[in-house]
Amino acid sequence: MPRSALDRARSVDRTTVSFAVLTLAAFGLAATARAAVAWATAGLGAPARYAATAPGDADVFETANAIAVFGACSAGVGVILFGVTLVLAVRRHAARRLPSVLGLCTLAMVVGAVVAGFAAGSETDYDAAAGLVILRTALVGLAAASLPALGLAVLRARARRA
């Protein structure tokens, strides 16, 4: 019996899309938290590490630290969800070039992390160095999170060849 256009197989299933949306939401929360910390500490005139106020008077710093912790947790959840999304995509879709694409993307993230690390080491501006360190950490986390999906894609490709 012929299949209608509505019944044809979806290129991406709902579970993978749901995890991708959750991943983007987690990274969006992390970026929003980063912007909120920058906004909260912008009028202070000095980076937070040079604060010379009494602990009771550091309400802005305590708030900024709480927001930064939330942002770091959101980024961590985003990295984990990124890895899960890639594994789901590899499990549910058999693309012949998927191991090569995942391998090249992972390699690009690792090279980007190394370049960001060297750039952060030679940076004299504290804010720029902090941004580069955050970029380096994010790229390393994403590269590490993509390794299970890369391994699964390689194993599936080898099984197809055998």
Side-chain angles (χ1 to χ4, degrees), residues 56-115:
D57 297 334
D59 292 332
V60 174
F61 292 116
E62 291 171 3
T63 303
N65 283 337
I67 294 170
V69 167
F70 175 77
C73 291
S74 296
V77 168
V79 167
I80 291 170
L81 287 172
F82 175 76
V84 170
T85 303
L86 284 178
V87 168
L88 284 173
V90 168
R91 279 187 57 212
R92 296 177 189 264
H93 304 289
R96 294 220 177 259
R97 297 184 187 251
L98 192 58
S100 300
V101 170
L102 281 174
L104 286 174
C105 290
T106 303
L107 183 63
M109 287 185 276
V110 169
V111 169
V114 169
V115 169

Side-chain angles (χ1 to χ4, degrees), residues 9-11 14 51-52 57 59 104 108 110 113 133 138 147:
R10 298 175 62 110
S11 62
R14 288 186 180 129
D57 297 334
D59 292 332
L104 286 174
V110 169
V133 168
L147 289 178

Side-chain angles (χ1 to χ4, degrees), residues 138-157:
L139 287 173
V140 167
L142 292 174
S146 67
L147 289 178
L150 178 61
L152 181 62
V154 168
L155 286 175
R156 288 187 73 189

